[in-house]
Amino acid sequence: MNKIICRRQAETIFPLGDSPLLNRIFSVRGIANQQQLDRTLKSLLPPQQLSGMSAAVELLLAARREQQKIVIVGDFDADGATSTALAVLALRKLGFQQVDYLVPNRFEQGYGLSVDVAKMALEKQVALLITVDNGVSSYEGVEFIKKCGVKVIITDHHLPPEQLPSADVIINPNLADCNFPSKSLAGVGVTFYLMLAVRAALRDRGEIVASELPNFAELLDLVALGTIADVVPLDQNNRILAHQGLERIRAQRCRYGIQALAEIANRDLSRFAASDLGFAIGPRLNAAGRLDNMSVGVELLLADDMQLARQLAHDLDALNQTRKEIEQGMKLEALQICSQLHELEQSLPYAIALYRADWHQGVLGILASRIKDRFHRPVVAFTQDQPGVLKGSARSIEGLHIRDVLERIDQRCPGMILKFGGHAMAAGLSVDESRFVEFQQQFLEIVCDCVAQEQLTGTIWSDGELSPSEMNLQTAELIAACGPWGQAFPEPLFDGEFRVLQQRLVGGRHLKMLLQPQGSSQLFDAIAFNIDPQRYPDLSIKTMKVVYKLDINEFRGNRQLQLMVEYMQPS
């Protein structure tokens, strides 16, 4: 059973408006003044605060003067796809005539600028290579292509290793010498900033007259999609980027590819929210990189014809359906392994490392995430990569930096982990197959050293109870208007005691209910999506503690309040 904890608000709540509820919500999210809520472009941090920006701009301007061949090397997730598409579109708009791109195939070249990818870029007669959403760990690929006389600009946001590649320029807000205030930029955000700086330099030097300068606000739909899909923390700078991009999507001034994905996901563009990007658009785009080649996703985002965009969106939707089926099978197998662990040890270990030789590499990360959510433990899921090598994807719990855990294992047991990289909450790695059991032991030992028992219980952070006067459509509209909500700026969750008056299963996995707050005559429609019948409470118990979001259900022009149930437990 999860713990439901009410967020602690600041001792002094700064009045940010006329709504005491919003003041409370913003206070517990660290908002101290009205300026921190500004979502206009004038509050964006300036590009020049990113270290390396001036040098990167000079390299690009030189390449433009000589019309050198530029190749963008992206990554095979939604952040990488949006970064790649944005770089290609922006450079072409700025008068760069020879711009091409490469996205590594997850199964053939692996992640980043490898030597194999560098050779592919050379076949395109590259003179200047730009990585987007990758590259900060690509020693061998950078060294190889530099020896071939190619200039290299790395743009990335992943945590850098101690030793950096020998690129001409590295732009990454997480570099030790970078004083950019926001360390949370997604890869697409870093790419966008570089393109803004190039545009400004061309304007300031008179190389493009002001009337012919492209409006890069047109690219913010891509920035919003990559930022939300990559689940980076939504600090103020990222909220500005995401909000402005969402505004363009709602106004239907977005890429045909995004429109086509919204169509196939049955999402209304005029009411688009960050959650639509994260749960409807992002997964379909990611499916290309997980099961096939992300070039399909990039081509979708570059499409300037709606018919082509719809065709590619249909292909991605089919891939996403296949991904779901593969994931479900892998999840059942993983739960069976966890069940056996539970029986052997009577209680699950603090950390879980799982391996099946036939698990699909492209779905490992999702699998690890699902198991982590189920058991509230750090998880690494492995599959066979090549003879003697296992490839793994790790997901962590709050308060445990998973990349640091892998680094400690690597220091203790040199040669066991062949390579690794990632963030606090997610990482990727390769391990010597003959040492898998040893890895399991080391992973468990280090996690036990770092994690307390109470961290292994699921925690749901609530914004408290709503009064009867606050449970209405106006409150739901007010909260929706204050987004985008997301990582580190979570959408408000409320809790309360409710009577379950009616319930029925729809679509085989969604629970529709009629709920009545204790001590109130109000009645509310409610829905819990994708329920697990084995884990759901016995609804013959008529009084439940319910954790929910306020949602607006629109049907045939009628708008009414609906409770989006996130969790229920007997009172």
Side-chain angles (χ1 to χ4, degrees):
M1 188 176 292
N2 290 319
K3 293 181 295 185
I4 301 171
I5 301 177
C6 188
R7 302 179 195 275
R8 289 188 61 187
Q9 61 192 44
E11 292 183 11
T12 302
I13 299 180
F14 297 87
L16 302 169
D18 297 330
S19 167
L21 175 62
L22 283 185
N23 286 338
R24 189 176 93 210
I25 289 168
F26 288 137
S27 170
V28 297
R29 285 158 180 77
I31 303 298
N33 56 62
Q34 194 68 44
Q35 192 283 325
Q36 291 176 313
L37 294 172
D38 188 359
R39 298 173 297 183
T40 60
L41 290 173
K42 65 180 174 61
S43 289
L44 265 185
L45 296 167
Q48 292 302 331
Q49 289 190 16
L50 281 160
S51 67
M53 188 62 79
S54 297
V57 167
E58 292 303 325
L59 278 175
L60 276 160
L61 294 188
R64 184 179 183 274
R65 285 190 289 271
E66 299 174 23
Q67 287 302 336
Q68 295 175 345
K69 180 65 174 287
I70 296 175
V71 174
I72 313 297
V73 174
D75 186 19
F76 38 66
D77 65 0
D79 189 14
T82 52
S83 301
T84 303
L86 187 148
V88 170
L89 290 166
L91 290 173
R92 288 175 180 170
K93 287 174 184 286
L94 290 171
F96 291 79
Q97 295 173 13
Q98 295 195 77
V99 183
D100 203 347
Y101 75 90
L102 278 171
V103 181
N105 186 301
R106 178 192 295 266
F107 313 108
E108 295 173 8
Q109 294 92 28
Y111 170 78
L113 177 58
S114 62
V115 172
D116 285 344
V117 172
K119 289 177 179 177
M120 292 166 65
L122 289 173
E123 290 173 5
K124 293 177 176 284
Q125 284 81 51
V126 61
L128 172 61
L129 185 145
I130 305 173
T131 71
V132 292
D133 191 34
N134 75 93
V136 79
S137 301
S138 300
Y139 315 104
E140 295 88 355
V142 171
E143 185 178 0
F144 174 83
I145 206 159
K146 287 282 293 172
K147 285 180 179 176
C148 298
V150 177
K151 301 287 187 184
V152 178
I153 298 172
I154 290 173
T155 72
D156 203 347
H157 71 122
H158 295 94
L159 295 175
E162 289 185 16
Q163 179 188 348
L164 295 172
S166 57
D168 293 273
V169 185
I170 301 178
I171 303 175
N172 183 331
N174 289 299
L175 292 179
D177 66 348
C178 184
N179 296 318
F180 193 72
S182 171
K183 303 301 181 183
S184 300
L185 277 177
V188 70
V190 180
T191 305
F192 181 64
Y193 266 94
L194 174 58
M195 297 303 131
L196 287 180
V198 174
R199 177 186 180 277
L202 288 169
R203 177 198 62 208
D204 295 343
R205 299 180 192 194
E207 296 189 37
I208 298 182
V209 296
S211 61
E212 296 177 4
L213 278 172
N215 177 11
F216 279 177
E218 295 173 356
L219 302 173
L220 284 165
D221 56 340
L222 294 174
V223 182
L225 172 53
T227 298
I228 297 297
D230 213 47
V231 203
V232 292
L234 291 186
D235 60 11
Q236 183 181 7
N237 206 63
N238 279 339
R239 290 201 304 278
I240 294 170
L241 293 170
H243 171 73
Q244 293 293 328
L246 282 164
E247 288 286 281
R248 295 194 66 84
I249 294 171
R250 292 183 194 114
Q252 300 188 41
R253 291 183 293 157
C254 58
R255 303 296 305 170
Y256 286 126
I258 294 177
Q259 292 184 44
L261 286 174
E263 265 184 23
I264 211 160
N266 198 28
R267 293 299 199 275
D268 179 357
L269 282 180
S270 67
R271 298 179 58 229
F272 227 63
S275 57
D276 294 305
L277 291 177
F279 298 111
I281 307 303
R284 286 173 168 83
L285 190 56
N286 272 324
R290 294 190 187 283
L291 301 186
D292 192 9
N293 190 311
M294 186 47 96
S295 295
V296 181
V298 176
E299 286 302 310
L300 170 76
L301 297 175
L302 291 175
D304 53 13
D305 172 82
M306 191 62 185
Q307 185 176 350
L308 173 61
R310 284 181 173 135
Q311 177 187 327
L312 292 170
H314 183 272
D315 293 343
L316 289 182
D317 188 58
L319 280 173
N320 194 49
Q321 286 301 121
T322 302
R323 186 272 302 170
K324 287 180 179 178
E325 292 165 9
I326 293 170
E327 177 198 333
Q328 184 61 26
M330 289 168 58
K331 182 181 175 183
L332 289 173
E333 292 171 351
L335 290 175
Q336 189 174 15
I337 296 171
C338 289
S339 175
Q340 292 166 356
L341 285 172
H342 199 289
E343 289 172 8
L344 287 171
E345 304 196 19
Q346 296 190 345
S347 62
L348 276 173
Y350 275 35
I352 299 171
L354 307 170
Y355 163 61
R356 283 281 302 244
D358 59 350
W359 278 346
H360 196 292
Q361 284 187 25
V363 189
L364 282 179
I366 297 178
L367 174 68
S369 184
R370 298 282 192 266
I371 301 301
K372 181 265 294 184
D373 290 343
R374 177 71 178 265
F375 295 110
H376 312 297
R377 279 149 170 76
V379 175
V380 189
F382 287 96
T383 190
Q384 187 85 42
D385 184 28
Q386 52 186 288
V389 177
L390 303 184
K391 189 168 190 175
S393 191
R395 295 295 182 270
S396 193
I397 58 174
E398 203 65 41
L400 180 72
H401 196 300
I402 196 68
R403 187 189 175 279
D404 287 354
V405 169
L406 298 179
E407 191 165 31
R408 283 183 61 183
I409 296 173
D410 189 47
Q411 290 168 352
R412 274 194 191 185
C413 309
M416 182 168 67
I417 298 180
L418 305 177
K419 60 181 178 180
F420 67 96
H423 299 297
M425 300 302 289
L429 68 158
S430 294
V431 169
D432 181 338
E433 183 177 9
S434 66
R435 302 179 70 179
F436 172 67
V437 173
E438 184 184 356
F439 174 85
Q440 282 183 306
Q441 293 167 345
Q442 292 295 327
F443 183 47
L444 179 57
E445 282 183 22
I446 289 174
V447 170
C448 286
D449 287 344
C450 301
V451 170
Q453 174 68 46
E454 54 267 25
Q455 289 176 260
L456 303 179
T457 302
T459 300
I460 297 174
W461 292 95
S462 165
D463 288 284
E465 295 190 32
L466 289 176
S467 66
S469 64
E470 292 170 328
M471 294 190 71
N472 53 49
L473 189 63
Q474 291 71 33
T475 302
E477 290 171 335
L478 193 62
I479 289 171
C482 292
W485 306 98
Q487 183 72 12
F489 196 74
E491 185 175 356
L493 269 179
F494 306 102
D495 69 85
E497 305 280 344
F498 289 83
R499 291 183 64 215
V500 182
L501 301 180
Q502 295 176 14
Q503 53 171 303
R504 61 188 174 91
L505 207 59
V506 294
R509 54 200 177 100
H510 311 310
L511 190 66
K512 288 274 287 182
M513 292 168 283
L514 183 66
L515 300 180
Q516 181 180 32
Q518 287 286 74
S520 170
S521 60
Q522 293 175 293
L523 300 178
F524 296 98
D525 287 328
I527 188 164
F529 286 110
N530 298 311
I531 68 164
D532 181 346
Q534 294 180 335
R535 300 185 65 218
Y536 229 73
D538 179 3
L539 290 180
S540 62
I541 303 170
K542 290 302 181 183
T543 304
M544 290 283 179
K545 180 86 164 178
V546 179
V547 181
Y548 61 93
K549 295 175 183 175
L550 295 182
D551 183 50
I552 301 168
N553 185 25
E554 188 162 346
F555 184 67
R556 294 180 179 173
N558 294 319
R559 290 159 60 82
Q560 65 179 37
L561 182 67
Q562 175 178 253
L563 307 188
M564 192 81 72
V565 174
E566 298 288 313
Y567 180 70
M568 296 175 71
Q569 68 183 33
S571 296

